[in-house]
């Protein structure tokens, strides 16, 4: 049997995601923040506070990667870290006032990206793409970070997931 050489559903999706992420990276650069860091700040805003381990699990990244990202966000003054009262080995992360202010710039950037998608595809196709992406994420066992903590599945959480 010959190997399939074209027509994979995955490739245009991955390529589109890479292109969008690069544009988002450029859009966020003046604020000194990366796309994944922006998502961490948004999750902490939604969750109130969370342990580094909990955030690593929510974002499907290693605890070491979460620790590195946390350290950078702490150095930037966007989040604070304090020891967990119940478990000494666990740190609790919380958004700072500066972090909450950064969310305004993040939301503006995300809004710009939504407009880019709508301008590229049209409003209806953009909406359908978002619904299909959310459905795929949910079918693969994903959810917006913090959604399970609050008991929701995030199905209606369009702007923050």
């Amino acid at each position: 049997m010959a190997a399939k050489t074209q027509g994979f559903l995955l490739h245009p999706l991955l390529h589109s995601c890479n292109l969008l992420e690069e544009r988002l990276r450029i859009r966020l650069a003046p604020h000194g923040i990366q796309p994944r860091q922006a998502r961490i700040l948004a999750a902490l805003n939604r969750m109130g506070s969370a342990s580094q381990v909990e955030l690593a699990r929510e974002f499907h990244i290693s605890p070491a990667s979460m620790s590195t990202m946390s350290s950078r966000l702490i150095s930037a003054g966007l989040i604070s870290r304090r020891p967990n009262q119940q478990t000494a080995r666990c740190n609790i992360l919380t958004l700072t006032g500066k972090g909450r202010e950064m969310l305004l710039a993040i939301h503006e950037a995300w809004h710009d990206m939504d407009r880019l998608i709508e301008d590229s595809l049209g409003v209806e196709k953009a909406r359908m793409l978002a619904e299909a992406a959310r459905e795929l994420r949910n079918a693969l066992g994903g959810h917006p970070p913090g959604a399970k903590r609050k008991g929701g599945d995030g199905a209606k959480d369009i702007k923050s997931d």
Side-chain angles (χ1 to χ4, degrees), residues 23-143:
R23 289 195 184 185
L24 180 57
R25 186 177 322 286
I26 291 166
R27 175 64 177 76
L28 290 171
H31 304 288
I33 192 161
Q34 297 292 317
R36 282 190 179 182
Q37 293 171 332
R39 292 189 67 221
I40 296 292
L41 295 179
L44 281 173
N45 186 55
R46 214 174 19 256
M47 298 166 81
S49 62
S51 73
Q52 286 183 219
V53 171
E54 183 180 12
L55 279 174
R57 243 184 266 122
E58 290 288 311
F59 282 96
H60 304 281
I61 60 175
S62 72
S65 292
M66 188 67 234
S67 180
T68 300
M69 192 178 312
S70 297
S71 294
R72 290 179 179 152
L73 292 169
I74 290 166
S75 293
L78 300 172
I79 64 172
S80 63
R81 175 174 42 206
R82 64 178 162 72
N84 187 335
Q85 302 293 359
Q86 288 79 31
T87 308
R89 295 181 350 174
C90 182
N91 291 312
I92 301 296
L93 304 175
T94 307
L95 207 56
T96 64
K98 185 177 177 183
R100 281 187 289 283
E101 288 175 17
M102 179 64 77
L103 282 173
L104 297 173
I106 291 168
H107 289 166
E108 285 177 17
W110 288 349
H111 182 70
D112 289 349
M113 298 308 297
D114 283 355
R115 272 188 278 153
L116 172 65
I117 295 167
E118 289 173 349
D119 290 348
S120 299
L121 298 177
V123 173
E124 184 58 25
K125 281 187 180 179
R127 186 190 59 75
M128 290 170 49
L129 176 63
E131 287 177 9
R134 193 172 298 106
E135 185 177 331
L136 177 60
R137 182 215 45 217
N138 293 346
L140 294 173
H143 59 273

Side-chain angles (χ1 to χ4, degrees), residues 146-154:
K148 286 194 172 186
R149 179 191 257 195
K150 293 184 178 184
D153 68 357

